[in-house]
Amino acid sequence: MNIRILGSAAGGGFPQWNCNCFNCKGLRDGSIRASARTQSSIAVSENETDWVLINASPDILTQIRSTHALQPARAIRDSGICAVLLIDAQIDHVTGLLMLRERSTPLPLYATEQVFADLSTGLPITQVLSHYCGIERHTVRPDGEPFVIAPLHQTSFSPITLLSKAPPYSPHRNNPHPGDNIGIVITNRISGQTAFYAPGLGILTPEVSAAMASVDILLVDGTFWTEDEMITLGLSKKPASEMGHLPQSGPGGMIEVLDRMPARRKILIHINNSNPILREDSAQRALLAQHGIEVAADGMEIAL
Ligand code: MLT
Ligand code: MN
Ligand code: ZN
């Protein structure tokens, strides 16, 4: 089984279209050592032909173009993408669904009831798609039983409830429910190997900590280095916690959390363009390396 990182950046990508922070400007003018990154999505396959996409990013077309395995070309119209599983209804995770509208059959879409509710009200993507390919709805229960997604039969997906909020546009933004956000444990049922994917992880409940402690590979929130990163750089007024993200540095930060975990690979994903860990020669990146923590990049492959 293989996990492919399609997009390792947070919403906005790297560089972000309207951003002139040190990183975005430096990437454009070649003055920093870093690579461009597209927005948040991974793909899972058993045979390198059939892929379950976890999240459909606004950069999906770029990601498909640069990942040849996603186009097996078995017919005049074809795609290796057999289904999409959503972990929340954030814009950076769902707007790519609109780009899949040319399918000739309804798109198998796996999400919680809460995410389907947001996608039929605040951001009515499923209604819009009903005028094109339509969707085949599969409701995922938060903390429900592990499920499989055909034609991947050796892989199971287990949702873990995350304590966080629905997106800013959601009619229930200020009335959080279990199912607004989930993490996913991906299990290779042949090898028994497991990975936990949670690109947005603000609060570590006992359930989340237990899931993180039990897996072989962690692919977790790498959005911000510090709680006030966006504020001190003058990019936003929001602290990391308000956006549902646990910063890496400092007491109780992600580095400390990951230090306690026995996983064989610890990988940060969903990295915001402001984060100093994007610079390959930064002190922050060196500190991560000392802790055995990797930084995801687009195109990275993870064998499970
Ligand atoms: C987030 O995870 O906080 C999002 O990337 C923000 C966004 O896409 O607007
Ligand atoms: Mn995001
Ligand atoms: Zn920037």
Side-chain angles (χ1 to χ4, degrees), residues 31-194:
S31 62
I32 62 165
R33 259 183 59 195
S35 311
R37 284 167 166 81
T38 61
Q39 296 170 79
S40 185
S41 175
I42 65 170
V44 181
S45 182
E46 294 168 354
N47 59 2
E48 294 286 303
T49 301
D50 302 298
W51 297 85
V52 170
L53 222 60
I54 309 188
N55 299 326
S57 125
D59 296 322
I60 190 169
L61 298 181
T62 306
Q63 294 166 346
I64 292 171
R65 276 181 207 121
S66 57
T67 312
H68 294 165
L70 291 177
Q71 181 46 272
R74 295 161 294 193
I76 186 75
R77 285 279 169 95
D78 195 18
S79 170
I81 298 168
C82 56
V84 178
L85 166 60
L86 301 174
I87 58 158
D88 59 33
Q90 291 275 358
I91 286 179
D92 58 341
H93 290 157
V94 302
T95 43
L97 291 172
L98 294 170
M99 299 306 118
L100 303 178
R101 68 190 177 284
E102 293 97 346
R103 282 177 62 99
S104 54
T105 56
L107 172 71
L109 185 60
Y110 291 73
T112 62
E113 207 176 301
Q114 286 70 28
V115 167
F116 276 122
D118 282 337
L119 296 186
S120 62
T121 55
L123 185 62
I125 286 180
T126 54
Q127 255 96 308
V128 174
L129 280 180
S130 72
H131 299 278
Y132 299 87
C133 62
I135 62 152
E136 183 189 292
R137 178 178 165 144
H138 297 265
T139 306
V140 169
R141 286 195 309 116
D143 282 338
E145 290 297 297
F147 57 92
V148 296
I149 299 179
L152 278 65
H153 291 296
Q154 300 169 3
T155 307
S156 69
F157 300 90
S158 309
I160 309 285
T161 297
L162 304 184
L163 214 58
S164 192
K165 293 197 285 195
Y169 71 77
S170 168
H172 64 281
R173 165 76 168 174
N174 294 313
N175 181 17
H177 287 77
D180 290 332
N181 300 266
I182 54 172
I184 300 282
V185 175
I186 307 164
T187 302
N188 178 336
R189 300 201 296 172
I190 306 292
S191 69
Q193 292 268 305
T194 51

Side-chain angles (χ1 to χ4, degrees), residues 13-25 28 230 233 235 272-275 278:
F14 178 47
Q16 179 173 315
W17 68 281
N18 65 344
C19 191
N20 290 299
C21 74
F22 187 81
N23 284 349
C24 289
K25 190 170 177 301
R28 278 187 211 104
M230 297 285 269
L233 291 173
L235 302 174
N272 198 59
N273 55 71
S274 54
N275 194 328
L278 287 168

